[in-house]
C-alpha cells in the first residue's frame, strides 16, 4: 500500500514530463516549420446531400515532420497560436489554399471546387492584418470572394465581440463567407447568430455521431429549421455512414462532409476523385 502511494505521483510526474517534453519538442520544431517546407494542405470534399454534387472543399493543415512523421493539427495549432506563429502559419494556409484553387480553376474549369473553406484561428481573426491579407490573396489568385469561406468557431468570435463584429463586417464587405465551425458545442450559440454576419452553420460532428438518439435528432431538426429561417446554409460534419446520411437528408440538411464521402485528400487525389466523381 505504501509503495502504491509513492508510485502515483511518480507516474503522474512521468506523464507530465513526457507531455512537457513533447510540447517543448513541438515548440522547437515549429519555429522554422514554414521555411523547412513541412506544412501541407489536405482537402476534404463538401457534398450536396440531395444531388450528390460536389460543392467544395475544406482545407486542413498537415505537418509532415522528417523524423516524427505526421503531426496532426490538434497537436500543434494551439501551440502555434500561443507562440504567435499562427499568423505566418495561417497566412501560409490562406495563400496555399487560394493558390491551389487558382490552379484547379485553370485545370478543372467548371469541375473546380465552387467553395473553398479555410479555418481561421482566434489570433488570426484578432490580428489587424487579416482583412488585408484576405483581400490581397483573393486578388493575387483571381478568386471570386464568394468562393471563399472563413471558418471560425463560436468561442473565437465570442472572445472579443467588438473586434469580431468589426472584422467580420469588413470581411463581409470583401464578399467572403463566414462559417461558424463546430456549431452547437460552445456557449451563446444562439445569440452569436444575431450579432455576427454569418452565412453558414457547420453542425458539429458530435450531433451527427449521436444522431441515433431521439433527442439529438430533434435538436438537429430544430437547428436546420432555425438556420433556414435565418437564411443560413447548414453543413453537417462527420458523416460516416449511410444511416447518418439518410437521416440528415430526411431532416432537410443540404450539405455535408465526412469519411462516408471522403477523408481529407492531397490535392492530386482530390483532383482524381473529382474527375471520377468518386463519392457515394
Ligand atoms: P475542424 O475544423 O472541425 O475540422 C474537421 C476535422 O474532422 C478534421 O480533422 C477532419 O479530418 C475530421 N473529419 C472529417 N470527417 C470526419 C469523419 O467523418 N469522422 C471523423 N471522426 N472525423 C472527421 P483534422 O484535419 O485533424 O483537424 C482538426 C482540427 O484542427 C480542425 O477541426 C481545425 O479546428 C484545426 N485545423 C485544421 N487545419 C487548420 C488550419 O489550417 N488552420 C487552423 N487554424 N486550424 C486548423
Ligand atoms: Ca473547420
Ligand atoms: Ca468543425
Ligand atoms: Ca472540431
Amino acid at each position: 500500500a505504501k509503495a502504491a502511494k509513492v508510485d502515483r505521483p511518480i507516474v503522474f510526474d512521468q506523464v507530465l514530463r513526457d507531455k512537457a517534453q513533447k510540447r517543448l519538442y513541438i515548440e522547437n520544431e515549429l519555429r522554422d516549420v514554414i521555411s523547412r517546407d513541412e506544412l501541407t494542405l489536405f482537402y476534404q470534399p463538401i457534398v450536396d446531400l440531395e444531388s450528390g454534387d460536389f460543392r467544395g472543399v475544406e482545407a486542413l493543415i498537415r505537418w509532415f515532420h522528417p523524423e516524427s512523421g505526421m503531426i496532426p493539427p490538434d497537436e500543434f495549432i494551439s501551440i502555434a497560436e500561443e507562440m504567435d506563429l499562427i499568423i505566418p502559419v495561417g497566412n501560409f494556409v490562406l495563400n496555399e489554399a487560394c493558390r491551389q484553387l487558382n490552379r484547379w480553376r485553370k485545370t478543372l474549369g467548371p469541375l473546380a471546387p465552387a467553395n473553398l473553406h479555410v479555418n481561421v484561428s482566434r489570433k488570426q481573426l484578432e490580428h489587424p492584418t487579416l482583412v488585408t491579407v484576405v483581400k490581397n490573396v483573393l486578388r493575387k489568385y483571381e478568386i471570386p470572394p464568394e468562393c471563399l469561406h472563413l471558418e471560425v468557431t463560436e468561442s473565437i468570435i465570442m472572445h472579443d465581440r467588438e473586434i469580431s463584429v468589426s472584422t467580420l463586417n469588413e470581411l463581409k464587405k470583401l464578399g467572403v463567407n463566414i462559417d461558424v465551425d463546430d456549431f452547437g458545442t460552445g456557449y451563446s450559440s444562439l445569440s452569436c447568430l444575431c450579432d455576427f454576419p454569418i452565412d453558414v452553420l457547420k453542425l458539429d460532428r458530435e450531433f451527427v455521431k449521436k444522431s441515433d438518439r431521439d433527442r439529438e435528432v430533434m435538436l438537429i431538426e430544430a437547428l436546420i429549421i432555425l438556420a433556414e429561417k435565418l437564411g443560413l446554409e447548414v453543413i453537417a460534419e462527420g458523416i460516416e455512414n449511410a444511416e447518418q446520411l439518410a437521416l440528415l437528408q430526411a431532416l432537410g440538411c443540404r450539405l455535408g462532409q465526412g469519411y462516408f464521402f471522403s477523408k481529407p485528400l492531397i490535392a492530386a487525389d482530390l483532383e482524381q476523385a473529382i474527375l471520377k466523381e468518386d463519392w457515394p
Side-chain angles (χ1 to χ4, degrees), residues 156-210:
I156 289 174
I157 52 182
M158 298 302 288
H159 179 258
D160 187 328
R161 299 174 66 113
E162 262 169 53
I163 293 186
S164 296
V165 170
S166 80
T167 308
L168 294 179
N169 278 326
E170 278 188 62
L171 289 166
K172 285 296 306 170
K173 271 191 229 147
L174 293 183
V176 305
N177 302 276
I178 310 296
D179 296 14
V180 183
D181 206 350
D182 303 343
F183 184 76
T185 58
Y187 308 105
S188 315
S189 318
L190 297 180
S191 77
C192 88
L193 297 181
C194 300
D195 298 346
F196 301 99
I198 287 161
D199 303 286
V200 179
L201 295 188
K202 295 197 76 174
L203 204 58
D204 193 68
R205 180 163 89 226
E206 286 303 305
F207 289 116
V208 177
K209 202 163 129 192
K210 294 179 187 149

Side-chain angles (χ1 to χ4, degrees), residues 62-258:
R62 297 289 180 267
W63 178 8
F64 289 97
H65 188 273
E67 284 137 38
S68 303
M70 206 270 279
I71 303 175
D74 287 333
E75 300 241 357
F76 73 88
I77 287 291
S78 61
I79 299 176
E81 179 123 23
E82 281 169 47
M83 296 168 70
D84 284 340
L85 275 171
I86 195 68
I87 299 302
V89 169
N91 289 346
F92 163 83
V93 172
L94 269 166
N95 188 78
E96 179 59 18
C98 290
R99 190 193 62 77
Q100 184 59 64
L101 182 59
N102 170 279
R103 266 207 46 151
W104 279 329
R105 285 163 59 83
K106 286 180 176 150
T107 57
L108 296 171
L111 293 177
N115 297 280
L116 171 66
H117 296 246
V118 173
N119 293 286
V120 171
S121 75
R122 179 168 72 70
K123 282 231 173 107
Q124 263 179 294
L125 186 72
E126 293 178 358
H127 200 274
T129 61
L130 180 67
V131 178
T132 313
V133 167
V134 170
K135 192 169 149 188
N136 289 343
V137 84
L138 291 172
R139 188 187 305 140
K140 179 173 172 195
Y141 294 112
E142 301 170 309
I143 293 180
E146 63 272 19
C147 292
L148 185 65
H149 291 243
L150 299 176
E151 297 195 357
V152 289
T153 63
E154 294 159 65
S155 58
I156 289 174
I157 52 182
M158 298 302 288
H159 179 258
D160 187 328
R161 299 174 66 113
E162 262 169 53
I163 293 186
S164 296
V165 170
S166 80
T167 308
L168 294 179
N169 278 326
E170 278 188 62
L171 289 166
K172 285 296 306 170
K173 271 191 229 147
L174 293 183
V176 305
N177 302 276
I178 310 296
D179 296 14
V180 183
D181 206 350
D182 303 343
F183 184 76
T185 58
Y187 308 105
S188 315
S189 318
L190 297 180
S191 77
C192 88
L193 297 181
C194 300
D195 298 346
F196 301 99
I198 287 161
D199 303 286
V200 179
L201 295 188
K202 295 197 76 174
L203 204 58
D204 193 68
R205 180 163 89 226
E206 286 303 305
F207 289 116
V208 177
K209 202 163 129 192
K210 294 179 187 149
S211 61
D212 53 340
R213 308 200 310 209
D214 289 347
R215 281 182 169 268
E216 263 74 15
V217 173
M218 289 189 269
L219 201 57
I220 296 172
E221 187 175 17
L223 288 174
I224 291 170
I225 293 169
L226 178 69
E228 200 163 74
K229 295 218 175 202
L230 292 169
L232 309 174
E233 287 197 293
V234 177
I235 302 177
E237 297 187 305
I239 302 175
E240 292 186 352
N241 57 53
E243 294 77 62
Q244 292 169 342
L245 170 60
L247 176 74
L248 288 161
Q249 282 170 328
L251 295 177
C253 184
R254 286 296 306 268
L255 298 168
Q257 67 190 100

Side-chain angles (χ1 to χ4, degrees), residues 31-94:
R31 256 175 253 283
D32 47 10
V33 69
I34 292 181
S35 57
R36 287 204 316 263
D37 209 19
E38 292 169 7
L39 295 178
T40 181
L41 296 183
F42 275 43
Y43 299 90
Q44 186 176 39
I46 295 171
V47 173
D48 185 315
L49 301 183
E50 264 170 46
S51 63
D53 290 347
F54 170 63
R55 278 284 300 262
V57 288
E58 176 174 5
L60 294 158
I61 197 166
R62 297 289 180 267
W63 178 8
F64 289 97
H65 188 273
E67 284 137 38
S68 303
M70 206 270 279
I71 303 175
D74 287 333
E75 300 241 357
F76 73 88
I77 287 291
S78 61
I79 299 176
E81 179 123 23
E82 281 169 47
M83 296 168 70
D84 284 340
L85 275 171
I86 195 68
I87 299 302
V89 169
N91 289 346
F92 163 83
V93 172
L94 269 166

Side-chain angles (χ1 to χ4, degrees), residues 6-16:
V6 177
D7 270 0
R8 259 202 198 147
I10 295 172
V11 172
F12 188 55
D13 244 29
Q14 189 64 42
V15 172
L16 263 188

